[in-house]
Structures are given as structure tokens and as C-alpha cells.
Amino acid sequence: MSSVLSTAPTGLAALPPGARQLLRDSCLIDGRWQAALDGRTFAVDDPATGATIGRVPLMGAAEADAAVAAAGRAQQLWARRTAKDRAAVLDRWAAALRERRADLAAILTLEQGKPLAEASAEIEYAASFLTFFAAEAPRITGEIIPGHRPDARIMVLRQAAGVAACITPWNFPAAMVTRKAAPALAAGCTVVLKPAEQTPLTALAVAALGELSGLPAGTLNVITGDAPAIGRVWCDHPAVRVLSFTGSTEVGKLLAERGARTVKRLSLELGGNAAFLVFADADLDAAVEGAVLSKFRHSGQTCVCTNRFLVEDSVAEEFTARFAERIATLRVGNGFHEGTDVGPLIDDDAVAKVTGHLSDAVGRGAALLAGGETEPGSRFVTPALVGGVTADMRVMTEETFGPLAAVARFGSEQEALALANNTRSGLAGYLWTRDLARSWRVSEGLEVGMVGVNTGFLSVETAPFGGVKESGLGREGSRHGIEEFLDLKYLCLGGIG
Ligand code: SIN
């Protein structure tokens, strides 16, 4: 493993002029950019250096309530527009994201830390949800069901659910905004959205482009601030009909409990503990490349990142050795420096979790085979590999959410499945084999919402993203993603014929 040494500008100095124009220090409520009612703000940090790069409003319950009121007023008008009209606004928003891709990517790297190339890919990923759901809007069709009496007919309408509250995470500050807002708006819902405290600048910039693209006042409201206070208001508010959250399982459960009081529809995309199964007949070179992508993309900070590598006994040594060699080629550095593969972790807690998992594993007998170095106060951790891992270690039972790969062994397909399913999470799983029958058997046997067969990358707007077990409820992306924001209404027509 090596570090990128560069003199290219970083931090605020790395922002192009166009990106500076997109920086906001206020929030969008009812079509107006506003400060917090009491004027309070909080700092946003550059995770690469810890330096403050901006301040945004520290809003709370009152602003959360005002945002819902604005969204409620806007909703009927928005839903009454034709689907084509709503789609045209989303298409313009997608075009704006693509046009300002470099500016948005720079803001994203600045506050989030991921390498600029990954940030740029995320902006395209964000735009893809707008394009996809713009096309879905005119496909929200109903049904006619034969009557239960000769004079009756049954019709089914699919109608916008109402106001949707969306709470988005820091690991994909642009794409998770549009993965939620695009289907909601396409369906005719209006949106109140709170981005993660760590990464509000990207969400505000994306919202600014939405406003410029013709979203009417109140259709998209974005507020930053006190997460528990805002979450409580949105969970309790009767006008909020859908609560869509991406984040930890712990917070997802709290929202689900609180939302139950007003019987909210929930769309929850929560934590994972993905297993990556390598069978002896796998193409090991491809499996190693898939492993690097699946583990170290975005410094291991995605919910579909592999957490547990499970490798068949006869190839475990060879796979681990090749994986260690490949890890040694990854370059750690500031996201603005060309050639960086692995950027900083989001905050000090994230570093503590990774180093805690590493010392727990090594303390219980695992072998450290690569990386794992960090310096006091730094958010950079060099990509790490541990072998000889056992089922009781924290790297196996908890989601690490960082650049630490843990390898354990299995002896049979049955044992591999039992190990993989030995978790309360069920988001993603990966398997590597050349045996077609096994790929079906194991895919069907994995208790997850998404399976990568001979690939370490799953995310695309056309596929349903989501988990089973404690990894969540509902799906995002694909034609299924819009259903989270639609209610079925059945009409019984009598007196016909
Ligand atoms: C997530 O980590 O929440 C999303 C990951 C992805 O869409 O690839």
C-alpha cells in the first residue's frame, strides 16, 4: 500500500468557481432559502483534514414542521400536474446535474472525502435516478378487474401517498437524495428532506439545481440540523405519509417505532453484513478484483460493501495471498489527488470502529496480513487484511464500514451458506463460482435482498435495491422503487349494464 503524494490543491482551494456558486449556507423551505429561526448554525468539516469548510443552519422542530406545512400545501397541485409535466421537471434536473457534474463532484469530495473520480461517478448515479423515474411517471397506470356482480366493475387507481419525509446518509450525499426524491416526485408526492449532518452541502447544491430546473415552491424542502428533533416531528406529523430512511439499523428501528404511532409507510435501507463466498472453482483473478471493488470502494463505507470474505479451504491460501498483493497496490490519499484509491473515513468514530475491529480480531488470534495503520487524529486508515478469522470476532458479527477485509474459511457449500446467513442483516451477498447450478442454489439460499454472482458491484438505478431481515423494508430504484410512494385505491362501480 502506498500514499499519493501531490501538491495539487485540496480543501476549499480545490473547488472550481462553478462549485462555489452552488455552495449554500441556508435551507430550502417553501421555495425560499432560509436561516434557522434562531440563527444557529453548525460546522461542516473536510474529513481529510478536519478543517471547517462551511456552516449550515442548525434547524429543529419548528423548521421541520414548517417544511411539512409547505410540502402539504404544494402536494395537491403537484399531483394534479400531468405525469409528463412532472417528468419534464425531473429530466431538466437530471440534465442540470450532468451539466454541473464537475462542480458537484468537487463539493462532494470536499465534504465527504471520496476520490474525485468516485464522486463524479456518484453524480452520474444521482442523475440516473432522476432520468429513470422521469420515465416511470407516465407508467403509473391502474387496473380494471371484472366485477363480482353482473352490474359491477372494479377499478384500481395508484395515487400519490402525500408528503414523503426522506432522511439521507453521508456516504452517498447526492445519489441517496435523488434515489428517494425522484420516485417520490414522479409519483406526485412532495418531499421534506434532511441530509446527514456530515454532508449537507451536496444535498443543498443538488436541491438548488432542482429549484432552477422548475420544481415549484414547496415540492422539495431541504433542512439541515438537529436529527433527533427533526426526525421526531416527521415521525409524529400526520401529514407525512411516507418515511424513507437510509442509515443504521439502530436508527431505523427507532424511526419505525416512532412512525408506528401515526402508521407511517416505511422505506428503510439499513445496515448490512455482506458475505463474499469464493468457491474453489472460481476464477480467482476475477474474484480478487471483485473483492477489491466490493470491499474498498469508497473506503469500505457502503452498506453493500463486503464485510466477511468466506473462502473454500483448498483456495483460501492462494486467494488471500493474491488479495494481499492487490491491496498493496491501493493508494491512500486526499480525494482531490489524482491516483487516490482510498480516501479518508468520514469521522473519528469511523476510524475508532475500524481500528477496534482490527484489534479485536488480532487479539483473538487473527493474522494481520496487510495495512491497518493510522496516525493519531488522522481519518486515514490503510487498507487492511486479516486472515484466520472466526465467527465470534467483531469483524464477523458487526458491520465494520471501513477498509478492513476479514477472511475466514469454509469446507462445504452447506457450511458456506450457514456462515453467510448467520447474521440478522440481509442486505447483499456475493459468490464466485464457475458452476451454474451452484450459482443458482447459493443465490437462492442466501438470506439477502441482492446477490452479486461473479461480480463485486451491484448498484444500478434499474434494479431493486434493498434488504431482508434487519436490513430494511421496501426497495429503492427500479420500477419497484416508485411503489413506496403510491397508494392503491379501489373503486367499485355499480349499476353498469
Ligand atoms: C448505500 O451504501 O447506502 C448505497 C450503496 C449503493 O447504492 O451502492
Side-chain angles (χ1 to χ4, degrees):
M1 201 285 314
S2 58
S3 328
V4 176
L5 296 174
S6 167
T7 51
T10 59
L12 280 167
L15 287 190
R20 287 172 188 274
Q21 287 161 10
L22 285 177
L23 287 179
R24 293 288 178 279
D25 58 5
S26 52
C27 292
L28 182 62
I29 304 176
D30 209 7
R32 278 175 299 123
W33 289 89
Q34 307 180 24
L37 288 171
D38 60 9
R40 285 193 300 162
T41 60
F42 67 96
V44 184
D45 287 355
D46 172 357
T49 60
T52 297
I53 50 172
R55 299 193 72 84
V56 293
L58 180 60
M59 291 186 165
E63 294 90 342
D65 202 58
V68 176
R73 285 191 297 275
Q75 201 265 318
Q76 289 298 322
L77 288 172
W78 178 246
R80 265 192 236 128
R81 286 201 180 190
T82 64
K84 269 186 152 178
D85 240 23
R86 295 197 301 272
V89 177
L90 295 182
D91 275 331
R92 281 199 295 274
W93 194 7
L97 257 62
R98 291 187 169 110
E99 203 174 299
R100 305 297 294 272
R101 184 171 174 176
D103 294 332
L104 289 166
I107 295 172
L108 204 162
T109 292
L110 176 66
E111 68 174 347
Q112 208 282 333
K114 67 176 71 174
L116 201 51
E118 279 190 42
S120 176
E122 182 182 337
I123 301 305
E124 173 50 36
Y125 188 36
S128 76
F129 290 108
L130 293 166
T131 302
F132 182 87
F133 285 109
E136 278 303 295
R139 298 192 181 117
I140 304 171
T141 53
E143 274 177 74
I144 298 183
I145 295 174
H148 53 305
R149 294 189 313 258
D151 72 328
R153 301 291 183 276
I154 291 169
M155 290 174 62
V156 182
L157 309 182
R158 284 158 81 219
Q159 290 183 307
V163 175
C166 303
I167 303 179
T168 55
W170 50 261
N171 62 343
F172 286 85
M176 297 305 103
V177 168
T178 55
R179 190 154 87 180
K180 294 181 190 305
L185 293 165
C189 292
T190 49
V191 173
V192 291
L193 186 139
K194 190 199 80 64
E197 298 82 280
Q198 295 91 332
T199 55
L201 300 175
T202 307
L204 292 169
V206 167
L209 291 175
E211 193 194 17
L212 290 171
S213 306
L215 282 174
T219 45
L220 175 68
N221 306 275
V222 180
I223 65 171
T224 55
D226 179 345
I230 294 167
R232 276 196 294 274
V233 170
W234 289 353
C235 281
D236 293 349
H237 205 303
V240 172
R241 295 312 318 144
V242 184
L243 186 59
S244 177
F245 168 73
T246 296
S248 71
T249 300
E250 190 192 350
V251 174
K253 286 179 182 177
L254 290 175
L255 292 170
E257 273 176 40
R258 184 100 189 188
R261 297 181 189 180
T262 48
V263 196
K264 292 275 181 279
R265 289 184 64 173
L266 294 175
S267 172
L268 300 176
E269 207 263 274
L270 308 177
N273 185 358
F276 185 107
L277 277 48
V278 183
F279 290 93
D281 65 351
D283 173 341
L284 285 194
D285 286 331
V288 166
E289 283 313 306
V292 168
L293 185 60
S294 164
K295 179 70 248 183
F296 297 108
R297 173 168 80 108
H298 188 18
S299 308
Q301 300 177 112
T302 83
C303 55
V304 287
C305 270
T306 293
N307 209 48
R308 300 167 295 153
F309 289 91
L310 307 176
V311 187
E312 193 160 0
D313 279 330
S314 60
V315 291
E317 218 162 290
E318 191 178 346
F319 172 84
T320 311
R322 288 200 211 177
F323 194 16
E325 256 173 50
R326 182 67 177 84
I327 287 172
T329 68
L330 296 175
R331 284 156 303 178
V332 177
N334 190 297
F336 282 110
H337 287 161
E338 209 174 323
T340 292
D341 298 305
V342 177
L345 298 186
I346 192 69
D347 55 25
D348 297 340
D349 288 348
V351 175
K353 188 161 194 197
V354 174
T355 53
H357 281 197
L358 184 56
S359 51
D360 172 77
V362 172
R364 292 180 200 226
L368 177 59
L369 303 171
E373 299 113 12
T374 184
E375 280 169 18
S378 162
R379 296 190 190 156
F380 292 92
V381 179
T382 61
L385 177 67
V386 283
V389 162
T390 51
D392 55 328
M393 295 177 184
R394 287 179 67 200
V395 272
M396 297 291 270
T397 58
E398 294 172 31
E399 187 180 27
T400 306
F401 228 66
L404 166 60
V407 180
R409 292 167 173 235
F410 65 83
S412 67
E413 185 179 307
Q414 221 179 3
E415 191 194 352
L417 268 175
L419 280 169
N421 290 336
N422 184 24
T423 167
R424 288 162 80 156
S425 301
L427 193 59
Y430 305 87
L431 66 114
W432 293 78
T433 179
R434 287 184 169 110
D435 179 335
L436 184 62
R438 169 179 282 149
S439 70
W440 274 101
R441 276 195 310 274
V442 176
S443 296
E444 287 170 359
L446 284 171
E447 296 169 356
V448 294
M450 298 172 275
V451 180
V453 181
N454 296 324
T455 176
F457 187 78
L458 287 161
S459 309
V460 58
E461 80 282 8
T462 48
F465 193 103
V468 299
K469 294 160 81 175
E470 294 189 10
S471 285
L473 293 171
R475 292 294 179 269
E476 294 190 326
S478 82
R479 68 186 171 82
H480 301 282
I482 204 162
E483 300 301 333
E484 309 295 328
F485 301 96
L486 290 168
D487 285 333
L488 293 184
K489 183 183 280 173
Y490 132 61
L491 271 60
C492 183
L493 307 183
I496 293 177

